[in-house]
Amino acid sequence: MANTKVAIIAANGSLFDAYKVFNVATAAAASDAEVGIFFTFEGLNLIHKEAHKNLPLPEGKEHFEEGFKQANVPSIEELVGIAQELNIKIIACQMTMDVMNLEKEAFIDGIEVGGAASFIEYAKDANITLSF
Amino acid sequence: MNIQVDEILDAKGLACPMPIVKTKKAMTNLEAGQVIEVQATDKGSTTDMKAWAESTGHQYLGTVEEAGVLTHYLRKASDAETKQETKHEDVEQLLDLQSKIEAGENLTILDVREPAEFAFGHIPNAINIPLGDLEERMKELDKDNELHVICRTGNRSDLAAQKLTEKGFPNVKNVIPGMSTWEGPTDKNN
């Protein structure tokens, strides 16, 4: 998969969404694909310095907390670290940041900040495009 | 099954995608041709390992399941292996070899793959000397016999055939392509 490009949009902010995004992204990067994720709206929580360490379960699904522990799934913090280590490109949505009044410093290190056009430019020749 | 490996990775207790991520990391530290053993308890890891090997070009050898632990064996591929550059002139088609075996001919088959590859399926009665050990173990072979040298795709066996010819073995055939397309009977273990 060395010549495969994966473009992902992360637009939601629950713990479930975070696992969908980071599991697929890190598996793709570990398979030698080039991976980029555009974080927009609630998706920004997944890369917020503090918020990503304590993401909420979706309403009514709180009972899954036990299952996550039992299955020994890695924490989102751990997956974010792996994503950075595997050189996954992280683009934070400028427009959402403006709306929510957030600065680049509020997010994890090594991110890019860009608009929709930045993502489109990245994704225009992607082999796989996913939205979560 | 006792299989010789170069590296062991303990991924037990880890959930998807960690076994793959850890394997990827461990693989970068290996030399081409080396074999890694990955121990996992994630039930999805067998299909994931196969798919991952397919994606990255590494070779998935097989999985042994014992007491809830899945032990996967993978071999790091080298660039040279994906390029076909056969130099040993005396080649033998795999199907011709199979016909000779089926006709009951008594052949000396030398399998130069790694012991872990050999363990997961080889031609019955084949001798296993991995390419890397050939130089020092050559004396185990009888120069009077016709040698049918085989590996997975014909590249390592080509190098082995050249080496044997160079050392004075008069009758060496490189079997192509190799075990990757072998459809005859196989034995497992050593």
Side-chain angles (χ1 to χ4, degrees):
Chain A
M1 285 198 28
N3 297 313
T4 305
K5 194 172 180 181
V6 182
I8 300 172
I9 294 183
N12 291 287
S14 83
L15 189 66
F16 282 13
D17 303 303
Y19 277 112
K20 293 170 198 168
V21 170
F22 287 117
N23 276 25
V24 171
T26 52
S31 304
D32 296 339
E34 179 188 355
V35 182
I37 315 171
F38 185 60
F39 292 89
T40 184
F41 285 84
E42 278 117 315
L44 279 180
N45 287 337
L46 311 191
I47 51 166
H48 187 278
K49 246 181 203 161
E50 297 310 320
H52 84 278
K53 295 175 186 169
N54 197 14
L55 292 165
L57 284 155
E59 219 166 298
K61 309 281 183 193
E62 291 83 0
H63 57 285
F64 279 110
E65 195 170 337
E66 196 54 33
F68 275 104
K69 279 197 196 112
Q70 274 172 13
N72 193 26
V73 295
S75 68
I76 292 303
E77 207 176 341
E78 198 178 335
L79 285 171
V80 165
I82 291 165
Q84 288 171 315
E85 217 173 294
L86 291 170
N87 290 320
I88 291 177
K89 188 187 179 80
I90 292 173
I91 311 171
C93 172
Q94 178 74 67
M95 185 274 262
T96 320
M97 284 167 62
D98 292 346
V99 171
M100 297 183 176
N101 199 15
L102 290 164
E103 295 298 327
K104 192 177 175 184
E105 289 65 41
F107 296 93
I108 57 169
D109 294 338
I111 66 161
E112 286 175 32
V113 177
S118 309
F119 177 73
I120 293 300
E121 164 62 21
Y122 172 81
K124 69 176 192 295
D125 55 354
N127 304 89
I128 301 171
T129 311
L130 303 164
S131 173
F132 292 103
Chain B
M1 199 173 343
N2 191 13
I3 295 169
Q4 186 193 327
V5 296
D6 301 290
E7 178 78 36
I8 294 176
L9 171 67
D10 183 358
K12 294 195 290 289
L14 300 176
C16 166
M18 296 312 290
I20 292 296
V21 170
K22 298 258 182 199
T23 304
K24 147 92 178 167
K25 255 192 221 168
M27 206 63 136
T28 55
N29 298 325
L30 289 186
E31 306 276 333
Q34 287 191 321
V35 172
I36 185 170
E37 170 183 329
V38 183
Q39 305 163 345
T41 47
D42 171 16
K43 291 184 213 69
S45 62
T46 305
T47 41
D48 275 5
M49 285 291 163
K50 284 182 197 165
W52 179 80
E54 194 69 34
S55 294
T56 52
H58 299 303
Q59 185 190 352
Y60 168 79
L61 304 174
T63 297
V64 176
E65 185 172 4
E66 207 171 44
V69 177
L70 297 156
T71 308
H72 310 292
Y73 294 87
L74 295 121
R75 178 177 163 274
K76 183 165 179 168
S78 66
D79 296 341
E81 266 170 62
T82 46
K83 289 179 212 142
Q84 281 281 351
E85 202 182 323
T86 307
K87 291 182 208 108
H88 186 75
E89 283 178 5
D90 195 356
V91 294
E92 178 178 32
Q93 293 300 323
L94 188 68
L95 286 174
D96 295 339
L97 177 72
Q98 193 176 345
S99 322
K100 284 180 195 166
I101 292 170
E102 281 164 4
E105 280 188 45
N106 191 15
L107 306 171
T108 307
I109 298 163
L110 173 65
D111 191 323
V112 294
R113 295 174 301 159
E114 294 302 310
E117 300 175 85
F118 188 79
F120 280 101
H122 55 263
I123 298 172
N125 299 320
I127 302 164
N128 181 219
I129 302 180
L131 180 61
D133 298 346
L134 188 59
E135 196 95 39
E136 57 185 272
R137 292 181 54 190
M138 218 173 253
K139 51 186 182 294
E140 296 171 27
L141 302 165
D142 189 343
K143 282 192 180 171
D144 297 333
N145 289 338
E146 183 177 69
L147 278 178
H148 303 262
V149 190
I150 195 161
C151 66
R152 184 170 63 104
T153 59
N155 290 298
R156 278 175 282 170
S157 57
D158 170 60
L159 295 171
Q162 288 179 57
K163 196 173 272 182
L164 289 162
T165 307
E166 196 184 293
K167 298 284 178 187
F169 283 79
N171 205 345
V172 182
K173 291 186 187 305
N174 177 24
V175 182
I176 53 168
M179 293 306 291
S180 59
T181 53
W182 173 255
E183 285 177 351
T186 56
D187 275 353
K188 289 199 175 185
N189 304 345
N190 287 306

